[in-house]
mmCIF file of all heavy atoms in Angstrom:
data_model
loop_
_atom_site.group_PDB
_atom_site.id
_atom_site.type_symbol
_atom_site.label_atom_id
_atom_site.label_comp_id
_atom_site.label_asym_id
_atom_site.label_seq_id
_atom_site.Cartn_x
_atom_site.Cartn_y
_atom_site.Cartn_z
ATOM 1 N N LEU I 1167 100.768 185.512 -103.478
ATOM 2 C CA LEU I 1167 101.274 185.363 -104.850
ATOM 3 C C LEU I 1167 102.230 184.183 -104.931
ATOM 4 O O LEU I 1167 102.219 183.397 -105.902
ATOM 5 C CB LEU I 1167 101.986 186.632 -105.286
ATOM 6 C CG LEU I 1167 102.552 186.605 -106.708
ATOM 7 C CD1 LEU I 1167 101.461 186.400 -107.737
ATOM 8 C CD2 LEU I 1167 103.314 187.900 -107.001
ATOM 9 N N ALA I 1168 103.095 184.009 -103.932
ATOM 10 C CA ALA I 1168 104.038 182.887 -103.923
ATOM 11 C C ALA I 1168 103.314 181.554 -103.926
ATOM 12 O O ALA I 1168 103.737 180.599 -104.622
ATOM 13 C CB ALA I 1168 104.976 182.998 -102.716
ATOM 14 N N LEU I 1169 102.218 181.450 -103.192
ATOM 15 C CA LEU I 1169 101.468 180.179 -103.161
ATOM 16 C C LEU I 1169 100.786 179.920 -104.493
ATOM 17 O O LEU I 1169 100.772 178.793 -104.988
ATOM 18 C CB LEU I 1169 100.433 180.249 -102.031
ATOM 19 C CG LEU I 1169 100.993 180.411 -100.608
ATOM 20 C CD1 LEU I 1169 99.875 180.508 -99.583
ATOM 21 C CD2 LEU I 1169 101.928 179.285 -100.260
ATOM 22 N N LEU I 1170 100.226 180.963 -105.083
ATOM 23 C CA LEU I 1170 99.595 180.800 -106.406
ATOM 24 C C LEU I 1170 100.649 180.478 -107.465
ATOM 25 O O LEU I 1170 100.406 179.672 -108.373
ATOM 26 C CB LEU I 1170 98.859 182.086 -106.784
ATOM 27 C CG LEU I 1170 97.629 182.433 -105.955
ATOM 28 C CD1 LEU I 1170 97.130 183.839 -106.289
ATOM 29 C CD2 LEU I 1170 96.510 181.432 -106.208
ATOM 30 N N ASP I 1171 101.827 181.065 -107.337
ATOM 31 C CA ASP I 1171 102.937 180.819 -108.250
ATOM 32 C C ASP I 1171 103.281 179.320 -108.275
ATOM 33 O O ASP I 1171 103.430 178.702 -109.328
ATOM 34 C CB ASP I 1171 104.120 181.641 -107.825
ATOM 35 C CG ASP I 1171 105.341 181.451 -108.729
ATOM 36 O OD1 ASP I 1171 105.155 181.037 -109.890
ATOM 37 O OD2 ASP I 1171 106.471 181.730 -108.268
ATOM 38 N N GLY I 1172 103.415 178.720 -107.066
ATOM 39 C CA GLY I 1172 103.729 177.286 -107.011
ATOM 40 C C GLY I 1172 102.671 176.426 -107.649
ATOM 41 O O GLY I 1172 102.976 175.471 -108.386
ATOM 42 N N ALA I 1173 101.373 176.746 -107.407
ATOM 43 C CA ALA I 1173 100.310 175.960 -107.992
ATOM 44 C C ALA I 1173 100.280 176.098 -109.506
ATOM 45 O O ALA I 1173 100.034 175.139 -110.247
ATOM 46 C CB ALA I 1173 98.960 176.398 -107.379
ATOM 47 N N MET I 1174 100.530 177.318 -110.009
ATOM 48 C CA MET I 1174 100.537 177.530 -111.452
ATOM 49 C C MET I 1174 101.708 176.824 -112.116
ATOM 50 O O MET I 1174 101.560 176.262 -113.210
ATOM 51 C CB MET I 1174 100.590 179.032 -111.749
ATOM 52 C CG MET I 1174 100.442 179.371 -113.224
ATOM 53 S SD MET I 1174 100.356 181.153 -113.523
ATOM 54 C CE MET I 1174 98.780 181.529 -112.785
ATOM 55 N N ALA I 1175 102.849 176.788 -111.432
ATOM 56 C CA ALA I 1175 104.010 176.073 -111.966
ATOM 57 C C ALA I 1175 103.674 174.605 -112.121
ATOM 58 O O ALA I 1175 104.056 173.973 -113.123
ATOM 59 C CB ALA I 1175 105.188 176.243 -111.028
ATOM 60 N N ASP I 1176 102.951 174.028 -111.186
ATOM 61 C CA ASP I 1176 102.578 172.604 -111.262
ATOM 62 C C ASP I 1176 101.692 172.326 -112.467
ATOM 63 O O ASP I 1176 101.739 171.233 -113.046
ATOM 64 C CB ASP I 1176 101.859 172.186 -109.986
ATOM 65 C CG ASP I 1176 102.818 171.962 -108.817
ATOM 66 O OD1 ASP I 1176 104.039 172.155 -109.018
ATOM 67 O OD2 ASP I 1176 102.356 171.592 -107.739
ATOM 68 N N VAL I 1177 100.856 173.285 -112.834
ATOM 69 C CA VAL I 1177 99.988 173.090 -113.991
ATOM 70 C C VAL I 1177 100.805 173.164 -115.273
ATOM 71 O O VAL I 1177 100.713 172.293 -116.163
ATOM 72 C CB VAL I 1177 98.852 174.136 -114.016
ATOM 73 C CG1 VAL I 1177 98.053 174.017 -115.318
ATOM 74 C CG2 VAL I 1177 97.932 173.955 -112.817
ATOM 75 N N LEU I 1178 101.655 174.182 -115.391
ATOM 76 C CA LEU I 1178 102.396 174.399 -116.630
ATOM 77 C C LEU I 1178 103.440 173.341 -116.870
ATOM 78 O O LEU I 1178 103.880 173.126 -118.025
ATOM 79 C CB LEU I 1178 103.039 175.773 -116.616
ATOM 80 C CG LEU I 1178 102.089 176.930 -116.905
ATOM 81 C CD1 LEU I 1178 102.771 178.274 -116.742
ATOM 82 C CD2 LEU I 1178 101.503 176.821 -118.319
ATOM 83 N N VAL I 1179 103.915 172.656 -115.821
ATOM 84 C CA VAL I 1179 104.919 171.620 -116.014
ATOM 85 C C VAL I 1179 104.303 170.297 -116.460
ATOM 86 O O VAL I 1179 105.007 169.371 -116.854
ATOM 87 C CB VAL I 1179 105.748 171.433 -114.742
ATOM 88 C CG1 VAL I 1179 105.045 170.539 -113.725
ATOM 89 C CG2 VAL I 1179 107.162 170.929 -115.035
ATOM 90 N N ALA I 1180 102.972 170.191 -116.413
ATOM 91 C CA ALA I 1180 102.305 168.978 -116.897
ATOM 92 C C ALA I 1180 102.630 168.776 -118.377
ATOM 93 O O ALA I 1180 102.566 169.734 -119.156
ATOM 94 C CB ALA I 1180 100.805 169.077 -116.698
ATOM 95 N N PRO I 1181 102.992 167.581 -118.804
ATOM 96 C CA PRO I 1181 103.531 167.344 -120.152
ATOM 97 C C PRO I 1181 102.657 167.847 -121.291
ATOM 98 O O PRO I 1181 103.170 168.352 -122.293
ATOM 99 C CB PRO I 1181 103.687 165.812 -120.215
ATOM 100 C CG PRO I 1181 103.841 165.397 -118.794
ATOM 101 C CD PRO I 1181 102.997 166.353 -117.992
ATOM 102 N N SER I 1182 101.343 167.705 -121.181
ATOM 103 C CA SER I 1182 100.494 168.043 -122.308
ATOM 104 C C SER I 1182 100.094 169.511 -122.372
ATOM 105 O O SER I 1182 99.598 169.996 -123.363
ATOM 106 C CB SER I 1182 99.210 167.200 -122.257
ATOM 107 O OG SER I 1182 98.476 167.482 -121.073
ATOM 108 N N VAL I 1183 100.346 170.258 -121.281
ATOM 109 C CA VAL I 1183 99.818 171.622 -121.204
ATOM 110 C C VAL I 1183 100.548 172.562 -122.153
ATOM 111 O O VAL I 1183 99.920 173.329 -122.895
ATOM 112 C CB VAL I 1183 99.904 172.141 -119.758
ATOM 113 C CG1 VAL I 1183 99.574 173.631 -119.714
ATOM 114 C CG2 VAL I 1183 98.970 171.354 -118.860
ATOM 115 N N ALA I 1184 101.890 172.553 -122.140
ATOM 116 C CA ALA I 1184 102.659 173.469 -122.985
ATOM 117 C C ALA I 1184 102.297 173.295 -124.450
ATOM 118 O O ALA I 1184 102.142 174.266 -125.200
ATOM 119 C CB ALA I 1184 104.147 173.269 -122.750
#
Side-chain angles (χ1 to χ4, degrees):
L1167 180 62
L1169 299 178
L1170 292 170
D1171 180 23
M1174 186 175 292
D1176 283 1
V1177 174
L1178 283 175
V1179 82
S1182 62
V1183 172

